[in-house]
């Protein structure tokens, strides 16, 4: 059954404690907020959505939005992640039911960049182990295993938003930047900065003194990066840099890029001297117990996924996600959509009095878009302008049209039925939202 909603979004469920400034921003935009602490289970989440009539969930990364949640909650029209990672949401289920999913791909970058940069020098100078030794009363005044970063080669794996900023900061500290990214646009940025390009991950590892990984979950072709840093790849670190090179590895991006057992084995053999890890294959939810896989390896500095946990990042995220979602609520505009992160769709925002916006999430089955246009035409309304995007991987599309008069609920139901008839697909239209601008 298609989800049909007339007007702006008015009710939000906020879980997992995003910055409190979010609530005020949403309330100002006409959304009543129901905030609960912690990370609800599947059944608790369904119960919360039912009892509050929420149309959107604002959440961080721990609460799982499963197919069962989406199917049990027909009021839901959107999921707004207050973070980058979208692994906690069943995107296919959302696409199947016309629930749009947004994240924030930019606001926490600076915090991650600063953590990465702090590790470069701290690991190169063995600060963490030295502090432990001093606490134990050991006066170890030696230059052994301590390096300057100036003049060393930093291999940046993934030259996206974060990798690029780490590279710029390290460049400013006198490091030589080498990079590998499989995305053309990212590579162009690296070349423009005058950095050295590797043609493969292995080449990057071989030619670098330090490697910092800033990969997204998938590459530009949608291939998963699960296990992309095998023991063989990791063991190449510094292979062409001479025996005395620092051989330091950082992973502040995704826990599944490498297996902790591989990193421990390479630390034990000295092929990697030191590492910093902020992300893990199995991260605990809430207060679940957790065993640090590196607890017996003081050369590996471990932090509990705090790359973005700063006083500054959380309010910045709250501000951006509120703006993203309010634009969707008020104007049907989309940006930061996890179905295709780089897209931006919008029609009219300020100064569009009298127009009506029709946002439709529908299947990519041939003929569905035509059914929407027909329904607008047959209702006597004129389509003033429209934007459209197919998300082929998920079999869903989003169509936003500005029309000159509102469709009745009956006409909207007719649109849904017409599309089903034309395409032979009962689920051709997944959700419809009509917003009258006054
Ligand atoms: N530790 C934390 O708290 C924290 C906080 C924010 C982001 N992150 C993570 O950091 C990572 C980077 O974030 P971002 O905003 O820079 O992402 P981004 O999408 O801007 O950049 C990722 C880059 O990696 C490249 N890439 C992906 N797979 C590749 C492969 N196999 N080979 C070569 N290049 C590949 C992409 O082309 C892209 O340029 C993400 O995984 C994100 O989830 C972690």
């Amino acid at each position: 059954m298609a989800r049909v909603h007339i007007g702006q979004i008015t009710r939000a469920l906020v879980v997992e404690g995003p910055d409190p400034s979010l609530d005020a921003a949403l309330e100002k935009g006409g959304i009543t907020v129901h905030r609960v602490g912690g990370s609800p289970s599947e059944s608790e989440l369904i119960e919360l959505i039912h009892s509050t009539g929420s149309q959107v969930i604002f959440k961080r990364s721990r609460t799982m939005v499963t197919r069962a949640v989406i199917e049990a909650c027909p009021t839901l029209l959107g999921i707004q992640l207050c973070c980058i990672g979208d692994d906690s949401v069943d995107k296919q289920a959302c696409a199947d039911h016309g629930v749009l999913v947004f994240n924030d791909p930019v606001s926490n970058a600076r915090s991650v960049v600063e953590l990465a940069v702090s590790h470069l020098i701290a690991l190169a100078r063995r600060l963490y182990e030295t502090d432990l030794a001093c606490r134990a009363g050991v006066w170890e005044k030696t230059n052994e295993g301590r390096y300057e970063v100036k003049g060393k080669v930093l291999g940046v794996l993934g030259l996206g938003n974060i990798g690029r900023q780490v590279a710029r900061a390290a460049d400013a500290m006198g490091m030589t930047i080498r990079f590998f990214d499989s995305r053309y646009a990212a590579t162009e940025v690296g070349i423009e900065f005058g950095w050295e390009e590797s043609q493969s991950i292995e080449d990057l590892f071989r030619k670098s003194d330090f490697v910092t990984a800033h990969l997204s979950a998938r590459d530009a072709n949608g291939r998963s990066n699960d296990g992309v840093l095998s023991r063989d790849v990791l063991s190449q670190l510094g292979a062409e840099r001479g025996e005395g090179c620092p051989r330091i590895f950082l992973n502040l991006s995704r826990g599944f890029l490498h297996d902790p057992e591989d990193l421990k084995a390479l630390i034990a053999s000295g092929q990697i001297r030191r590492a910093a890890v902020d992300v893990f294959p199995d991260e605990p939810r809430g207060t679940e117990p957790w065993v640090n896989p590196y607890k017996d390896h003081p050369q590996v500095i471990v932090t509990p996924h705090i790359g973005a946990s700063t006083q500054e990042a959380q309010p910045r995220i709250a501000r951006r996600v509120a703006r993203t979602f309010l634009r969707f609520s008020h104007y049907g505009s989309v940006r930061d959509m996890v179905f295709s992160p780089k897209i931006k769709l919008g029609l009219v925002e300020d100064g569009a009095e009298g127009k009506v916006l029709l946002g439709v999430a529908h299947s990519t089955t041939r003929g569905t878009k035509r059914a929407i246009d027909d329904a607008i035409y047959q209702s006597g309304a004129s389509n003033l302008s429209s934007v459209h995007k197919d998300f082929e991987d998920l079999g869903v599309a989003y169509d936003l049209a500005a029309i000159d008069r509102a469709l009745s609920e009956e006409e909207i139901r007719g649109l849904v039925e017409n599309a089903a008839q034309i395409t032979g697909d009962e689920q051709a239209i997944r959700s419809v939202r009509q917003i009258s601008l006054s």
Side-chain angles (χ1 to χ4, degrees):
M1 260 268 274
R3 295 166 191 231
V4 175
H5 184 84
I6 307 293
Q8 299 179 359
I9 306 281
T10 53
R11 277 193 285 273
L13 175 67
V14 176
V15 299
E16 293 185 61
D19 192 76
S21 59
L22 173 66
D23 303 18
L26 294 179
E27 301 268 1
K28 202 168 159 203
I31 297 183
T32 304
V33 174
H34 185 86
R35 177 181 277 255
V36 293
S39 170
S41 66
E42 185 179 81
S43 57
E44 289 166 344
L45 188 58
I46 293 172
E47 173 51 33
L48 279 165
I49 297 165
H50 285 174
S51 62
T52 57
S54 296
Q55 296 132 353
V56 52
I57 308 170
F58 282 76
K59 63 181 280 301
R60 296 172 75 177
S61 55
R62 292 198 311 275
T63 304
M64 302 307 286
V65 180
T66 58
R67 181 172 285 278
V69 171
I70 298 298
E71 293 186 345
C73 301
T75 56
L76 269 186
L77 295 162
I79 310 291
Q80 175 68 64
L81 291 152
C82 304
C83 58
I84 297 187
D86 56 27
D87 310 346
S88 59
V89 179
D90 185 333
K91 292 190 284 296
Q92 188 60 63
C94 289
D96 291 347
H97 291 276
V99 177
L100 304 195
V101 186
F102 307 93
N103 69 350
D104 178 351
V106 294
S107 299
N108 55 16
R110 176 69 197 194
S111 297
V112 183
V113 172
E114 291 191 10
L115 184 62
V117 171
S118 69
H119 280 317
L120 292 177
I121 295 178
L123 287 166
R125 297 296 287 271
R126 299 210 275 121
L127 291 192
Y128 306 106
E129 293 151 72
T130 305
D131 175 65
L132 287 176
C134 286
R135 282 171 203 281
V138 178
W139 185 262
E140 192 210 4
K141 186 174 161 56
T142 165
N143 60 2
E144 201 177 315
R146 302 195 209 278
Y147 303 88
E148 290 183 352
V149 297
K150 182 166 183 279
K152 302 295 185 302
V153 178
L154 173 65
V156 182
L157 178 56
L159 205 60
N161 194 26
I162 295 174
R164 190 167 61 236
Q165 294 186 56
V166 171
R168 289 187 67 181
D171 193 354
M173 294 196 295
M175 298 187 82
T176 297
I177 308 301
R178 175 168 277 283
F179 67 93
F180 174 66
D181 196 298
S182 51
R183 194 164 52 92
Y184 173 76
T187 301
E188 285 302 293
V189 169
I191 291 170
E192 218 165 278
F193 274 104
W195 299 329
E196 292 169 19
E197 184 189 1
S198 274
Q199 298 298 333
S200 67
I201 297 180
E202 289 80 357
D203 185 66
L204 184 83
F205 271 76
R206 293 181 70 76
K207 293 182 174 146
S208 301
D209 297 310
F210 299 66
V211 169
T212 185
H214 299 289
L215 297 181
S216 38
R218 293 178 178 277
D219 71 10
N221 296 316
R223 276 188 299 259
S224 168
N225 281 324
D226 194 346
V228 75
L229 301 181
S230 63
R231 188 180 297 202
D232 194 37
V233 169
L234 292 173
S235 71
Q236 305 291 313
L237 182 51
E240 292 183 28
R241 297 292 300 158
E243 180 41 39
C245 91
R247 298 200 297 272
I248 288 172
F249 171 67
L250 273 60
N251 182 6
L252 280 61
S253 55
R254 292 288 173 151
F256 52 69
L257 299 186
H258 74 270
D259 183 337
E261 294 306 316
D262 290 337
L263 182 55
K264 286 193 288 190
L266 293 166
I267 291 275
S269 68
Q271 280 164 285
I272 292 180
R273 290 187 208 274
R274 287 188 172 72
V277 180
D278 188 45
V279 286
F280 304 85
D282 296 307
E283 295 187 4
R285 300 193 172 271
T287 53
E288 279 173 22
W290 177 67
V291 178
N292 173 3
Y294 306 101
K295 66 180 180 2
D296 300 323
H297 294 74
Q299 305 94 325
V300 183
I301 300 311
V302 169
T303 45
H305 206 144
I306 55 160
S309 303
T310 59
Q311 296 292 311
E312 291 78 8
Q314 295 310 314
R316 212 184 292 134
I317 292 169
R319 199 157 55 235
R320 184 170 175 101
V321 299
R323 285 177 65 77
T324 300
F325 200 79
L326 289 175
R327 279 149 91 159
F328 174 62
S329 171
H330 295 174
Y331 305 108
S333 306
V334 297
R335 70 170 185 190
D336 298 350
M337 225 182 141
V338 305
F339 295 170
S340 178
K342 307 282 179 212
I343 67 126
K344 244 184 182 177
L345 292 180
L347 279 176
V348 283
E349 299 209 350
D350 297 323
E353 291 80 8
K355 295 206 177 77
V356 175
L357 294 166
L358 198 64
V360 184
H362 60 86
S363 81
T364 47
T365 311
R366 203 174 144 78
T368 314
K369 165 94 177 85
R370 214 195 78 210
I372 300 168
D373 296 339
D374 285 356
I376 294 171
Y377 178 75
Q378 280 160 18
S379 72
S382 296
N383 189 337
L384 305 173
S385 54
S386 65
V387 285
H388 177 95
K389 172 77 184 165
D390 280 353
F391 307 99
E392 282 297 347
D393 290 355
L394 295 163
V396 71
Y398 183 65
D399 192 85
L400 181 64
I403 56 182
D404 61 354
R405 78 161 187 81
L407 306 189
S408 65
E409 282 207 52
E410 203 186 334
E411 285 166 332
I412 293 175
R413 291 285 167 205
L415 181 163
V416 173
E417 281 159 25
N418 190 27
Q421 267 170 20
I422 291 181
T423 59
D425 174 2
E426 278 298 316
Q427 302 300 321
I429 303 291
R430 314 272 171 84
S431 66
V432 181
R433 211 154 66 79
Q434 179 169 268
I435 311 150
S436 296
L437 302 177
S438 50

